[in-house]
Amino acid sequence: MSGTQTTGMKKSLSLWNYFTMGFGAIVGTGWVLLVGDWMIMGGGPISAMLAFAAGALFLLPIGAVFGELTAAIPISGGIVEYAERTFGKTAGHMTGWFLALGNAILCPWEAIAISALLSSMWADLPGLEWITSIKLYEIAGSPIYLIPTLVAEAVCLLVIYLNFRGASAAAKLGSFLAKALLAGMLLAMVTSLFIGSPSNLLPTFARVSAQNSGSVAGVTTTAGTFLTAFLAVLVITPFFYTGFDTIPQSAEEAGPNLNWKKFGRIIGLVLLASGLFYVICIYAFGTIFPWQESVADPVPALSSILKISMYLYIPMLVIGTIGPIGPMNAFYGATARILLAMGRKGHLPRSFAKIHPKTGTPVVPNIILAVATVVGPFLGGNLLIPLTKVDALAFVVACTVAAAACLKMRFTEPDLPRPYKVPGGKIGIGTAVLAGLILVGLQVIPGSPAVLDPVSWCIVIVWLIAGVALRWVASRKSSKPTLAA
């Protein structure tokens, strides 16, 4: 751990900061925008609830792996170090680059989500029609409006500013947003309790056609059975659990008195809390009205509340609109630290390893992410689905490599101090590797209900080419890392 003392990163984060960072990064606003899509894909809320519960359990061993590795090697962007010291420099580069893709996507994704909510739900309120009065252009069938774009850009600038200031400022925002999201869940639960009925969850499985789907993205039920519908939802859940990895990426900024054994448990707690949050939200919005009726409306989470009371609708809409700030904030910081680690190890040009002397933040990575984030609102809502699929694959691939590295290090570095260990030892770690391989297989094996489409594969290929090019540039300038991790 001594290597972490000379990095220049400010050490101020507590266990609560890490919990709210991870929870806010995971939950965000997906439950508001896409709960209807989940029910449509699953042919009903029951399969969707089971899929999200199973997704959390699938990832729990992987979360424990990150807990063990981070507590043993608490450095920024540690996944690069884990992969490189076990499988070599190329593996370290590819793993870090894949996870950077998965995390970086979330910054423009959340910016697009804010703009989409403003263009649809806010603009439908009486007296607010002017929000969409000025149309800039249309891209891939998605209209881009001036006012929503400006508001989304203001949010982007806030997140960029906080991350340039340092991890402490960003963590305070995460704490506030976590409380706001819990308030939204509580509102949905209370509404469901007094207005809804469990009978509205039936039928257990029914196909939803394009004619009966209110999905903005045009989602329909493509599965033919309850089981295949369950799998169709299960394979996208990694995207909606992406975020727990933001916790280890900021490990280098932990406070001096942090209990690393408890830190290892935080990731598992975040996954379980997020899984419970998702299941409760799907149940709540699936029971307020008959689910087939709800999914016929766009954004059922908001449409259902609107049918009951405008006084309940406005607070839920506000919570849903500010929700994306949490993931954007967390993924911005996490991606910057992955790129920082890759710069230190020589996978990227040395300029990526530069840290601001006053704020202790990565300079070049922050600038690159600032550009990517502010571009988001100009890309249109139809890019959300391809980005979702790419993120899920990139995230699971990186997590699987980390789990394999953890297992190998149990044999190659048995004496490495491990304040926290994966429950079940090598068997528990092996379970994490197996879970990761299953999720990767479901996304790449032809015939799978969620195999990547051509657009998503194009994004992956372009990203890999860019990574190879940057590594070539780095190797030309220097083959020696600036800081031994």
Side-chain angles (χ1 to χ4, degrees):
M1 296 185 191
S2 60
T4 66
Q5 302 303 314
T6 59
T7 64
M9 306 290 280
K10 289 193 174 181
K11 304 179 185 302
S12 58
L13 301 182
S14 65
L15 291 174
W16 174 247
N17 290 149
Y18 283 117
F19 180 87
T20 57
M21 179 192 300
F23 182 77
I26 290 176
V27 175
T29 196
W31 61 280
V32 176
L33 287 176
L34 300 174
V35 67
D37 289 22
W38 301 339
M39 289 191 282
I40 293 170
M41 291 179 65
I46 294 178
S47 62
M49 286 190 291
L50 291 175
F52 270 89
L57 295 177
F58 248 98
L59 293 171
L60 201 57
I62 296 177
V65 160
F66 273 99
E68 175 173 318
L69 290 172
T70 309
I73 312 170
I75 59 174
S76 291
I79 193 168
V80 181
E81 172 72 10
Y82 315 148
E84 180 170 331
R85 70 194 287 170
T86 50
F87 300 117
K89 197 172 183 66
T90 298
H93 171 81
M94 297 305 297
T95 303
W97 194 240
F98 253 104
L99 189 57
L101 170 63
N103 283 349
I105 280 176
L106 269 296
C107 296
W109 194 99
E110 299 295 349
I112 294 171
I114 293 173
S115 182
L117 269 177
L118 290 165
S119 301
S120 56
M121 309 308 291
W122 280 100
D124 286 341
L125 291 175
L128 295 181
E129 299 86 356
W130 54 268
I131 289 178
T132 54
S133 60
I134 304 176
K135 181 179 176 180
L136 298 176
Y137 55 89
E138 192 168 301
I139 179 170
S142 296
I144 307 298
Y145 299 102
L146 177 62
I147 303 301
T149 301
L150 290 177
V151 174
E153 289 296 344
V155 172
C156 293
L157 292 176
L158 170 64
V159 170
I160 292 168
Y161 168 72
L162 290 175
N163 278 276
F164 268 88
R165 282 190 60 190
S168 179
K172 291 177 182 177
L173 176 62
S175 179
F176 165 75
L177 292 170
K179 295 171 184 175
L181 292 170
L182 290 173
M185 182 184 70
L186 182 62
L187 177 58
M189 287 175 57
V190 172
T191 304
S192 172
L193 180 64
F194 287 97
I195 304 295
S197 168
S199 64
N200 289 333
L201 296 173
L202 302 176
T204 303
F205 175 77
R207 300 189 69 173
V208 178
S209 64
Q211 183 179 0
N212 299 316
S213 171
S215 169
V216 176
V219 174
T220 61
T221 308
T222 57
T225 66
F226 180 88
L227 177 59
T228 54
F230 163 79
L231 291 175
V233 181
L234 176 63
V235 293
I236 67 165
T237 59
F239 171 82
F240 297 101
Y241 286 114
T242 304
F244 72 80
D245 61 299
T246 62
I247 299 174
Q249 304 314 330
S250 299
E252 200 169 308
E253 290 145 288
N257 298 318
L258 190 84
N259 185 320
W260 286 102
K261 185 173 183 179
K262 291 183 178 179
F263 173 92
R265 297 171 183 161
I266 286 292
I267 300 175
L269 288 175
V270 166
L271 278 169
L272 292 175
S274 302
L276 180 63
F277 182 97
Y278 282 134
V279 170
I280 290 175
C281 286
I282 297 170
Y283 175 85
F285 295 118
T287 56
I288 293 176
F289 294 105
W291 73 266
Q292 288 174 297
E293 174 186 331
S294 295
V295 299
D297 295 325
V299 195
L302 296 173
S303 300
S304 297
I305 300 294
L306 179 59
K307 291 177 182 178
I308 298 170
S309 169
M310 181 65 74
Y311 294 106
L312 296 177
Y313 175 70
I314 295 299
M316 181 66 79
L317 184 56
V318 171
I319 292 170
T321 305
I322 66 174
I325 302 175
M328 190 192 303
N329 178 52
F331 286 113
Y332 191 108
T335 309
R337 282 145 185 82
I338 294 170
L339 297 177
L340 166 72
M342 294 184 73
R344 288 173 171 175
K345 303 294 291 184
H347 299 299
L348 296 176
R350 286 191 175 187
S351 58
F352 281 75
K354 182 180 178 182
I355 294 176
H356 194 281
K358 292 184 178 180
T359 62
T361 56
V363 178
V364 172
N366 269 350
I367 294 173
I368 292 174
L369 286 167
V371 174
T373 302
V374 298
V375 167
F378 295 97
L379 299 179
N382 283 344
L383 195 61
L384 289 177
I385 297 301
L387 289 179
T388 299
K389 293 178 179 179
V390 171
D391 178 274
L393 175 64
F395 174 65
V396 174
V397 167
C399 288
T400 305
V401 174
C406 185
L407 182 60
K408 186 176 180 180
M409 288 171 65
R410 282 293 189 100
F411 294 96
T412 59
E413 300 184 52
D415 298 326
L416 179 71
R418 294 174 171 86
Y420 171 83
K421 294 184 178 181
V422 175
K426 296 183 181 70
I427 295 177
I429 303 172
T431 302
V433 176
L434 179 61
L437 291 174
I438 291 173
L439 290 173
V440 171
L442 288 171
Q443 291 169 288
V444 301
I445 296 175
S448 166
V451 67
L452 263 63
D453 55 44
V455 174
S456 300
W457 276 119
C458 286
I459 295 173
V460 172
I461 292 171
V462 169
W463 183 258
L464 290 177
I465 293 173
V468 171
L470 281 172
R471 188 180 178 190
W472 180 81
V473 171
S475 65
R476 291 274 294 181
K477 292 183 175 181
S478 175
S479 60
K480 189 174 183 180
T482 59
L483 176 66

